[in-house]
Amino acid sequence: MLDRFSAAVGKASAWMTLFMVLVTFVVVVMRYVFDAGLIWLQESVVWMHAFVFMIGAGYTLQQEEHVRVDIFYRQMSARRKAWVDLIGVLIFLLPLCLFLGWKSVDFVAVSWQLREASRESGGLPYPLVPMLKSVLVIMPVIVGLQGISLLLKSVKILRPE
């Protein structure tokens, strides 16, 4: 179930990538063909880029496409890989997700309290900036859930039959 959730979020993130390309195309055409531009549209591309990477992180972990120094890992048996994954999730991934979630809650809450908008004149209006910053809280949850899925798979492999 956790894997299906990560896959669904990852696929939604992929659609955002297509939308980001289309908006970038519009920005370029407006700038070079019509000699005009909209700051909020340009800013939205940067925010969409951040959104795609942060929301897609759980899917990337599920697909094992994340950065891993696997000089030794790729040659390990399934049981040894399960041990590495189990220890990695418990010692590194889940504590990091908890820390990131914990540290970002206040940052996001302040953004909502201040009714934050872009610092640029003509930039993204409220509530888009706090909504986008809220992804800082959502991302560790998504990655943490996928980490729990990896943990459960590792325990299943390690469990004696």
Side-chain angles (χ1 to χ4, degrees):
M1 182 173 153
L2 294 174
D3 285 344
R4 283 196 309 250
F5 174 73
S6 289
V9 171
K11 289 176 183 168
S13 163
W15 282 106
M16 177 63 80
T17 304
L18 175 62
F19 187 64
M20 183 175 61
V21 169
L22 294 174
V23 171
T24 302
F25 177 76
V26 168
V27 167
V28 169
V29 168
M30 285 179 63
R31 180 181 297 156
Y32 294 106
V33 175
F34 300 109
D35 197 28
L38 298 171
I39 300 296
W40 67 269
L41 199 58
Q42 293 173 348
E43 277 188 352
S44 72
V45 173
V46 174
W47 284 97
M48 283 187 276
H49 197 236
F51 179 86
V52 165
F53 275 90
M54 292 177 67
I55 294 300
Y59 179 71
T60 304
L61 179 61
Q62 180 213 16
Q63 297 295 311
E64 295 194 21
E65 296 294 330
H66 57 289
V67 175
R68 176 188 292 169
V69 181
D70 66 348
I71 297 168
F72 304 109
Y73 186 85
R74 68 180 132 186
Q75 297 173 355
M76 291 179 177
S77 68
R79 267 183 85 68
R80 287 191 122 172
K81 286 180 180 179
W83 274 112
V84 169
D85 290 341
L86 179 88
I87 292 167
V89 166
L90 288 174
I91 292 177
F92 299 111
L93 187 108
L94 291 178
L96 179 64
C97 287
L98 288 170
F99 177 77
L100 289 175
W102 174 61
K103 291 304 268 184
S104 63
V105 167
D106 288 338
F107 179 72
V108 172
V110 167
S111 181
W112 281 101
Q113 289 170 348
L114 295 176
R115 300 177 57 89
E116 186 176 11
S118 174
R119 294 180 182 171
E120 300 295 326
S121 175
L124 289 173
Y126 175 83
L128 291 177
V129 173
M131 285 172 55
L132 294 165
K133 284 186 177 184
S134 295
V135 175
L136 292 170
V137 176
I138 296 167
M139 186 270 298
V141 171
I142 292 172
V143 174
L145 288 173
Q146 188 55 47
I148 290 169
S149 174
L150 182 57
L151 181 85
L152 295 173
K153 288 178 197 171
S154 298
V155 167
K156 185 177 179 183
I157 291 170
L158 295 171
R159 186 178 281 162
E161 297 184 33

